[in-house]
Amino acid sequence: MEQTLSIIKPDAVAKGVIGKILDRFESNGLKIAAMKKVQLSRQDAEAFYAVHAARPFFNDLVDFMVSGPVVVTVLEGENAVLKNRDLMGATNPKEAAPGTIRADFAENIDANAVHGSDSLENARNEIAFFFSGREIS
């Protein structure tokens, strides 16, 4: 069984669609192994997205991620990384397939409802950023 990290971003939390997004995961065979709602500090967001620090959108991304609470989950299942990425849809919701989370709940490429790990290695690192081993069941 693979594990992957998913973040329901501030825009989706503010819209009140947490339950609808979680249902997409569970209805598609992903188990929620851990979950918490947190308010990221600027330092947290900068550290989590450090890989993008040199990119022009970095400051806007950090500002967005600290603009409200997020819901962080560890999803578990067969091919969890790929399955979650398929459920999310394209980063730009205008390009996301109908029925994907981003097509249904995202505003634009910046406020795009969810984050998901893009590889098993990144999933392990991202999960460890938010959760201790004892928090995952």
Side-chain angles (χ1 to χ4, degrees), residues 108-121:
N108 55 55
I109 196 165
D110 297 317
N112 64 4
V114 286
H115 164 90
S117 302
D118 62 3
S119 69
L120 278 173
E121 180 182 354

Side-chain angles (χ1 to χ4, degrees), residues 1 8 16 19 21 36 45 49 64 74 76-77 84 87 97 109 122-124:
M1 287 289 168
I8 301 175
I21 293 172
K36 59 177 134 184
Y49 287 108
F64 172 64
V74 176
E76 187 174 79
N84 182 40
L87 291 170
I109 196 165
N122 283 342
R124 283 189 286 275

